[in-house]
């Protein structure tokens, strides 16, 4: 008979267990800091095509697992596959990041077709199926999507490196119009996540990377409520699949986010004091985070101190180790291995 320790450690935290050492994965654990990623990326000119190539996408998902033995793998894809699947023009330009044909009126919104999404994203489900067969049996498989506000920001602005000013203005000046866009995204994202679970995703994460750009009122309306609706829809179809929210830079509104959305876990950015999170976020919610990604660039004593503080502050709670935001390309790969050893108590 299976005892609790035979279950994957990342899944055990969602059963309420304070696993020690905690399970570890890192946002953007696949990516440009790894030379073996850059080698594959160099052969595929279009980033979206890369996301839609199950062999290449599964290979780069596996690369960091071979080096570091993470407890979870996150499927290689991007949050902007949703606007692409809805019919918006999306491209990734070298040195510039994502570029989209902006949607700023109801008429421009009318090109979006929710009914295309599930089928258009079949390659991502294929990647998940390959990964379910190929990841080690102790490793959990994570599926993901961007949360509606964060995806809408890129759809409206047409590019990254903004604070979502146009999107926020639109949401204030014509809330009914903006809510139409959010409704489309709630539906498309829910269907996409449900298909990911059917293809083998064991845990889901919703990235709301730009949650912290909003006022309190807009945070409730554009972050909490859409995340809540997605959790409700996905849970109805896939009961038992843990869902992690990531309202990045949500600050003091994070406990309210957890309570109202009903997420099973919350990923915390590096500005959140973990002792405060332990005291203020419901015990039923797994905490995840929140090492500053700059500490992985710097390494050494500063990194070790950051790790030790996190472990100390979370030892009584079901917790998964992660960063406050994704690994940056300048990160020396050996620092990631040193961090893993430190977290697992394999170095002094
Ligand atoms: O040139 C390259 O190789 C492209 C770099 C890259 C990568 C590796 C992009 C472009 N996306 C990804 C993969 C990716 N994106 C993953 C894969 C799995 C993993 O973590 O290993 C995930 C989960 C994402 C999610 C994502 N994409 C988010 C949410 C998380 C976050 O970082 O805040 C966001 C905001 C994006 C948009 C995006 N995609 C790529 C870039 C450069 C950006 C950011 C654009 C910007 O705002 O400047």
């Amino acid at each position: 008979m299976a005892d609790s320790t035979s279950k994957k450690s990342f899944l055990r935290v969602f059963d309420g267990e304070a696993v020690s050492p905690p399970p570890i994965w890192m946002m953007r654990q696949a990516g440009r800091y790894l030379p073996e990623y850059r080698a594959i990326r160099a052969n595929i000119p279009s980033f979206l095509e890369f996301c839609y190539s199950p062999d290449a996408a599964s290979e780069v998902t596996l690369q960091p697992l071979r080096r570091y033995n993470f407890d979870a793998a996150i499927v290689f894809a991007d949050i902007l596959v949703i606007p692409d699947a809805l019919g918006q023009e999306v491209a990734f330009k070298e040195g510039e990041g994502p570029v989209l044909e902006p949607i700023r009126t109801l008429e421009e919104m009318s090109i979006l077709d929710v009914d295309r999404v599930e089928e258009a994203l079949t390659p991502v489900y294929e990647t998940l199926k390959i990964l379910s067969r190929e990841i080690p049996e102790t490793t959990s498989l994570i599926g993901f999507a961007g949360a509606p506000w964060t995806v809408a920001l890129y759809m409206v602005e047409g590019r990254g490196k903004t604070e979502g000013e146009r999107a926020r203005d639109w949401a204030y000046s014509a809330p009914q119009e903006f809510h139409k866009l959010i409704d489309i995204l709630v539906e498309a994202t829910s269907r996409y996540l449900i298909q990911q679970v059917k293809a083998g995703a064991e845990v889901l994460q919703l990235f709301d990377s730009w949650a912290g750009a909003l006022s309190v009122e807009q945070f409730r309306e554009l972050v909490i409520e859409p995340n809540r609706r997605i959790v409700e829809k996905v849970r109805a179809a896939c009961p038992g699949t843990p869902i992690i929210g990531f309202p990045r830079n949500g600050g003091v509104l994070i406990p309210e986010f957890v309570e109202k959305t009903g997420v099973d876990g919350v990923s915390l950015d590096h500005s959140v004091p973990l002792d405060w999170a332990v005291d203020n976020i419901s015990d039923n919610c797994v905490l995840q985070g929140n090492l500053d990604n700059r500490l992985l660039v710097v390494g050494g004593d500063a990194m070790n101190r950051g790790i030790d503080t996190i472990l100390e502050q979370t030892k009584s709670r079901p917790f998964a180790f992660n960063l406050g935001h994704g690994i940056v390309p300048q990160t020396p790969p050996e620092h990631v291995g040193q961090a893993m050893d430190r977290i697992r108590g394999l170095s002094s």
Side-chain angles (χ1 to χ4, degrees), residues 5-259:
T5 53
S6 69
K7 190 168 176 179
K8 300 176 182 190
S9 65
F10 190 49
L11 299 183
R12 277 160 58 204
V13 296
F14 292 100
D15 290 339
E17 196 182 327
V19 178
S20 175
I24 313 167
W25 70 280
M26 294 183 189
M27 290 184 260
R28 290 278 167 96
Q29 62 192 33
R32 279 182 295 167
Y33 74 109
L34 290 178
E36 60 269 36
Y37 170 89
R38 293 197 299 268
I40 292 190
R41 176 76 177 93
N43 293 326
I44 310 179
S46 143
F47 180 73
L48 274 180
E49 194 189 308
F50 187 7
C51 294
Y52 298 146
S53 305
D55 289 335
S58 56
E59 170 57 23
V60 299
T61 308
L62 293 168
Q63 286 174 343
L65 302 185
R66 294 191 190 110
R67 278 188 183 244
Y68 308 116
N69 192 18
F70 285 115
D71 296 292
I74 180 159
V75 64
F76 189 83
D78 195 79
I79 64 167
L80 300 179
V81 298
I82 286 280
D84 178 59
L86 283 167
Q88 185 174 12
E89 214 169 291
V90 180
F92 286 82
K93 300 229 165 105
E94 187 66 43
E96 211 180 317
V99 180
L100 299 84
E101 185 63 42
I103 288 180
R104 294 176 183 163
T105 62
L106 271 187
E107 197 190 338
E108 287 162 355
M109 213 189 289
S110 68
I111 64 157
L112 304 175
D113 181 0
V114 155
D115 292 323
R116 292 183 68 224
V117 167
E118 273 166 295
E119 204 189 318
L121 296 175
T122 302
V124 180
Y125 320 141
E126 287 303 317
T127 307
L128 283 160
K129 286 181 194 163
I130 296 173
L131 289 168
S132 319
R133 293 195 298 271
E134 298 206 351
I135 57 173
E137 60 185 24
T138 52
T139 309
S140 305
L141 185 54
I142 304 173
F144 76 93
W149 157 246
T150 289
V151 175
L153 177 149
Y154 289 100
M155 294 174 79
V156 173
E157 303 291 339
R159 60 191 180 93
K161 304 185 178 77
T162 75
E163 292 285 323
E165 295 85 347
R166 282 174 196 271
R168 297 183 57 214
D169 291 356
W170 193 9
Y172 274 133
S173 60
Q176 281 176 330
E177 291 183 12
F178 198 76
H179 275 273
K180 263 195 185 151
L181 181 57
I182 293 289
D183 289 348
I184 290 170
L185 288 168
V186 165
E187 185 58 31
T189 307
S190 303
R191 292 189 196 178
Y192 175 47
L193 290 173
I194 291 165
Q195 292 303 324
Q196 290 190 50
V197 173
K198 289 188 181 157
E202 298 169 290
V203 176
L204 298 171
Q205 179 152 321
L206 273 164
F207 288 89
D208 226 339
S209 303
W210 294 102
L214 298 173
S215 67
V216 177
E217 180 194 338
Q218 286 193 325
F219 185 93
R220 291 188 170 126
E221 186 181 315
L222 303 175
V223 171
I224 294 182
E225 182 58 15
N227 275 277
R228 186 196 68 73
R229 287 163 63 198
I230 294 173
V231 169
E232 183 177 73
K233 283 174 187 283
V234 175
R235 192 165 284 147
C238 315
T241 300
I243 305 171
I244 303 168
F246 180 37
R248 188 167 76 94
N249 293 341
V252 295
L253 291 169
I254 295 173
E256 181 179 332
F257 171 92
V258 167
E259 200 179 309

Side-chain angles (χ1 to χ4, degrees), residues 263-312:
V263 288
D264 303 281
V266 67
S267 208
L268 303 170
D269 64 81
H270 68 236
S271 73
V272 179
L274 285 180
D275 48 359
W276 173 87
V278 165
D279 288 345
N280 289 281
I281 295 175
S282 158
D283 281 337
N284 301 327
C285 179
V286 171
L287 305 180
Q288 176 178 279
N290 75 341
L291 189 72
D292 187 344
N293 55 9
R294 301 312 303 180
L295 286 173
L296 275 190
V297 177
V298 172
D301 287 345
M303 178 179 83
N304 289 341
R305 278 196 306 275
I307 289 170
D308 294 351
T309 305
I310 290 174
L311 294 177
E312 180 57 31

Side-chain angles (χ1 to χ4, degrees), residues 324-344:
H325 202 189
I327 299 182
V328 295
Q330 317 87 288
T331 305
E334 60 273 19
H335 288 174
V336 178
Q338 287 156 6
M340 303 288 292
D341 286 349
R342 185 81 182 184
I343 300 158
R344 291 191 170 141

